[in-house]
Amino acid sequence: VLAHEVIEADDVVDGYFTQVKEELLESMVSHPAFGIQLLDALMIAKYMERIGDHAVNIAEWVEYAVTGNYKGERLQ
């Protein structure tokens, strides 16, 4: 159940990344003097999104180990 919750939360994490990316872009246009710091923040947001992707991958393999199903499909 917990593994499935992690998989389902991936869309939420992706949505947050998209939101942060758009807000940082607006900030870069509005405050170009902070460009380097805002770029660093964008990189951090991307790394966090990738951590979420890795967590999903682990959760998919946990689900497979428990159920024999990988990514919602029954293996034969």
Side-chain angles (χ1 to χ4, degrees):
V1 172
L2 292 175
H4 188 70
E5 289 177 10
V6 169
I7 295 166
E8 292 296 315
D10 186 50
D11 290 338
V12 174
V13 173
D14 291 344
Y16 282 140
F17 175 66
T18 299
Q19 179 182 348
V20 167
K21 184 171 54 173
E22 291 169 358
E23 290 177 14
L24 287 172
L25 178 59
E26 290 174 14
S27 294
M28 286 178 185
V29 171
S30 303
H31 308 286
F34 295 105
I36 297 299
Q37 292 88 346
L38 293 167
L39 185 58
D40 287 342
L42 178 61
M43 296 299 294
I44 291 167
K46 182 60 181 175
Y47 296 144
M48 297 297 286
E49 189 269 338
R50 288 298 297 141
I51 290 168
D53 290 341
H54 291 303
V56 167
N57 186 267
I58 292 167
E60 288 171 345
W61 283 107
V62 167
E63 198 171 63
Y64 170 72
V66 171
T67 68
N69 295 329
Y70 184 66
K71 295 186 180 183
E73 296 183 15
R74 182 81 180 138
L75 299 179
Q76 300 191 12

